Amino acid sequence: AQSVAQPEDQVNVAEGNPLTVKCTYSVSGNPYLFWYVQYPNRGLQFLLKYITGDNLVKGSYGFEAEFNKSQTSFHLKKPSALVSDSALYFCAVRDPFKAAGNKLTFGGGTRVLVKP
Amino acid sequence: KAGVTQTPRYLIKTRGQQVTLSCSPISGHRSVSWYQQTPGQGLQFLFEYFSETQRNKGNFPGRFSGRQFSNSRSEMNVSTLELGDSALYLCASSTRIGSYEQYFGPGTRLTVT
């Protein structure tokens, strides 16, 4: 069975500093990996995905993520955090086999607080 | 293009009642998935529909059911509500099974008292 772990419940960072949100996964085969962000009282917004190819993936709002197969990690990064980046971030994995459909397995989420 | 819409946005029900939540996917999207979000269990997959057929089901009791209509709109029903069913229910739509991107609605906040 596939699983995703986000080891940090909360990450605090000063505005302008680099932001990293960690994610590790466990899945058989080559995973499809995703990052979503959730603002208060809102649904999930797609940030970026890794399907295949270049290990460094660039996404929305200046975010990027690096896929590391040997460490089974997919950490989310932003070079310079903004106060408006304060939100709940979810890492997710999807089984690439068609029979699994579009089902996403999510990590527990990491709350990011960017202080001015 | 309009996004995924979910109705109602907020709902308060009493234990033992049943509830129906609605999801309208993005125009042209034919796959709809449902997720339950709670502070304790996080985000959990409920089920997925495509072309009016349930394609995938999560590990939830039979009190949770759903369906999809010919216009791709989907409903989920929870019967005999329990306090633990209080959650944010999220719907996601995509163009097809195997699509790389899913678009989430704002959710329906269900409170069971």
Side-chain angles (χ1 to χ4, degrees), chain B residues 8-19 21 36-38 78 81-89 108-113:
Chain B
R9 290 293 310 277
Y10 302 91
L11 204 50
I12 300 175
K13 288 287 188 179
T14 303
R15 191 171 43 185
Q17 290 185 316
Q18 74 166 15
V19 67
L21 312 181
Q36 181 196 63
Q37 184 178 16
T38 60
V78 187
L81 284 166
E82 300 177 0
L83 296 179
D85 297 333
S86 294
L88 180 66
Y89 290 88
T108 293
R109 171 75 62 185
L110 172 65
T111 302
V112 182
T113 62

Side-chain angles (χ1 to χ4, degrees), chain A residues 50-80:
Chain A
Y50 173 81
I51 303 300
T52 187
D54 194 352
N55 290 343
L56 184 63
V57 178
K58 293 191 182 295
S60 307
Y61 313 119
F63 284 94
E64 58 187 29
E66 185 167 11
F67 172 65
N68 188 317
K69 188 170 184 177
S70 62
Q71 297 185 6
T72 61
S73 67
F74 189 56
H75 300 332
L76 181 71
K77 299 180 181 182
K78 186 171 184 179
S80 179

Side-chain angles (χ1 to χ4, degrees), chain A residues 6-23:
Chain A
Q6 293 180 241
E8 300 159 318
D9 289 337
Q10 181 159 323
V11 169
N12 298 317
V13 63
E15 188 174 32
N17 282 1
L19 168 64
T20 299
V21 186
K22 296 179 180 177
C23 171

Side-chain angles (χ1 to χ4, degrees), chain A residues 37-43 45 84 86-88 111, chain B residues 9-10 88 106 109:
Chain A
V37 61
Q38 185 177 36
Y39 296 98
N41 300 315
R42 303 280 292 277
Q45 294 181 30
S84 57
S86 298
L88 189 57
R111 189 164 300 281
Chain B
R9 290 293 310 277
Y10 302 91
L88 180 66
R109 171 75 62 185

